[in-house]
Amino acid sequence: MKSGVIAGVLLGVMMLLASWSWAEDAVTGLTPQQLLIQARSMFPREKIQVSGLLGTAEVRGQNERFQAYTLLLNWAGGVPRADCRLYREKGDKMPILRAELSRQDGAPKLVLFGSDGERVEGSRLNAPIGESDLTWMDLMFDFLWWKKVRRVPEEELEAKQIPTRISGRSDCVVLEAEPPVALPGLSAVRLWIDHGTGNLLQTEQLDEAGEPTRQMFVQRVGRENGRWVPREFRIRRLGRSHITRLLVSEVKMASFTSKGEEHD
């Protein structure tokens, strides 16, 4: 089993757990660094469990293959932690892959465990994981902690034809964050921050020439118990013939429980 499939679970669900309460404008007057801090602050501060399905398919949705996952998050303690388990099929008791993620002294640490209990540590942040369209950088939202970040000015947005509306419905501030250390094949990550909520809606990884190579975005949301909950995320590497889809079926936390569709 490729370790890449589990990354999609952790990647999308971390964004899922933001508070999706709409406001008129949540970003005016904030510096680029403050916008990243605000996006970080929307991560949950309580124990939470998420479950659903992770699928890979051709771009047009053909030949889609699903696997079940569960994710336990605990950001309440001094060391934020996550535990994700991937199953071959829904209803299985034994995971085929398990991942533990923690952030100590500002540094992310990821440990993978195979079905045989083998322990694997360490990976370059922007390295592709298995054959997926994801990187460890996505998995840990590491770019939300980067210090060198700028707001892309309007003239640059126009010159490069960078959109500021996501799916034609959300006006966004566009940021670019540079990694604190050189990473092969990566110059920056472009982020779209929603004006109304301050939430992160889409990211793009940029190569050394500043061209986008991979995208991650919220595809579908639903309103449950007064909260907006993303139900589907899509991740794709530009130029490749398949996509990764994360479908959220249930969210459980101390004061909130939400159920939704597992797939279309």
Side-chain angles (χ1 to χ4, degrees):
M1 175 56 57
K2 300 294 185 180
S3 61
V5 291
I6 201 166
V9 176
L10 290 168
L11 162 69
V13 174
M14 300 266 283
M15 283 183 58
L16 153 78
L17 300 166
S19 174
W20 286 66
S21 57
W22 300 107
E24 183 177 351
D25 197 324
V27 303
T28 297
L30 298 182
T31 67
Q33 189 64 50
Q34 288 171 332
L35 287 172
L36 288 190
I37 293 173
Q38 177 172 278
R40 270 199 335 253
S41 71
M42 291 184 177
F43 285 21
R45 292 297 186 270
E46 54 197 307
K47 292 182 180 180
I48 192 167
Q49 177 176 306
V50 180
S51 59
L53 297 175
L54 179 67
T56 58
E58 297 174 8
V59 170
R60 295 183 179 180
Q62 299 176 343
N63 302 321
E64 191 159 24
R65 300 174 301 279
F66 281 106
Q67 291 179 292
Y69 71 87
T70 60
L71 173 65
L72 298 174
L73 288 177
N74 185 4
W75 297 132
V79 178
R81 299 184 185 278
D83 184 307
C84 183
R85 303 184 185 203
L86 184 71
Y87 302 88
R88 192 175 305 280
E89 295 181 358
K90 185 177 180 180
D92 285 355
K93 300 298 183 183
M94 296 296 296
I96 57 175
L97 191 63
R98 178 186 172 199
E100 290 182 351
L101 173 65
S102 62
R103 177 175 285 276
Q104 301 185 44
D105 300 323
K109 179 181 179 181
L110 179 72
V111 180
L112 296 179
F113 299 88
S115 58
D116 58 357
E118 181 183 1
R119 181 186 180 102
V120 180
E121 298 187 43
S123 179
R124 197 176 75 236
L125 277 179
N126 68 323
I129 306 171
E131 296 179 354
S132 75
D133 295 325
L134 302 164
T135 70
W136 297 119
M137 179 181 61
D138 299 317
L139 173 73
M140 296 174 285
F141 279 87
D142 197 67
F143 42 77
L144 292 181
W145 277 263
W146 295 355
K147 300 297 184 182
K148 192 172 183 180
V149 57
R150 70 185 183 100
R151 180 170 179 167
V152 182
E154 291 186 9
E155 56 270 22
E156 185 175 344
L157 293 171
E158 294 178 0
K160 295 182 178 180
Q161 298 183 328
I162 300 171
T164 57
R165 292 180 66 85
I166 301 300
S167 300
R169 66 179 183 269
S170 299
D171 288 313
C172 295
V173 173
V174 183
L175 306 177
E176 285 186 4
E178 296 183 22
V181 296
L183 295 172
L186 175 70
S187 64
V189 172
R190 188 174 290 157
L191 308 97
W192 279 259
I193 306 295
D194 180 68
H195 264 283
T197 64
N199 283 323
L200 177 64
L201 296 186
Q202 179 173 304
T203 68
E204 281 186 342
Q205 181 174 312
L206 307 180
D207 62 16
E208 290 96 334
E211 295 297 323
T213 59
R214 195 177 39 76
Q215 297 176 330
M216 182 273 294
F217 52 94
V218 177
Q219 177 70 18
R220 182 164 54 93
V221 300
R223 192 170 179 83
E224 300 285 348
N225 293 346
R227 296 194 185 194
W228 288 98
V229 178
R231 290 298 184 192
E232 179 181 338
F233 300 86
R234 295 200 179 195
I235 306 97
R236 69 186 184 100
R237 187 172 295 276
L238 302 183
R240 298 190 68 173
S241 62
H242 69 275
I243 60 172
T244 300
R245 289 206 304 157
L246 178 76
L247 306 176
V248 177
S249 60
E250 188 170 19
V251 180
K252 292 182 178 180
M253 54 197 305
S255 60
F256 174 69
T257 298
S258 171
K259 292 185 179 181
E261 297 177 349
E262 294 180 343
H263 53 81
D264 294 332

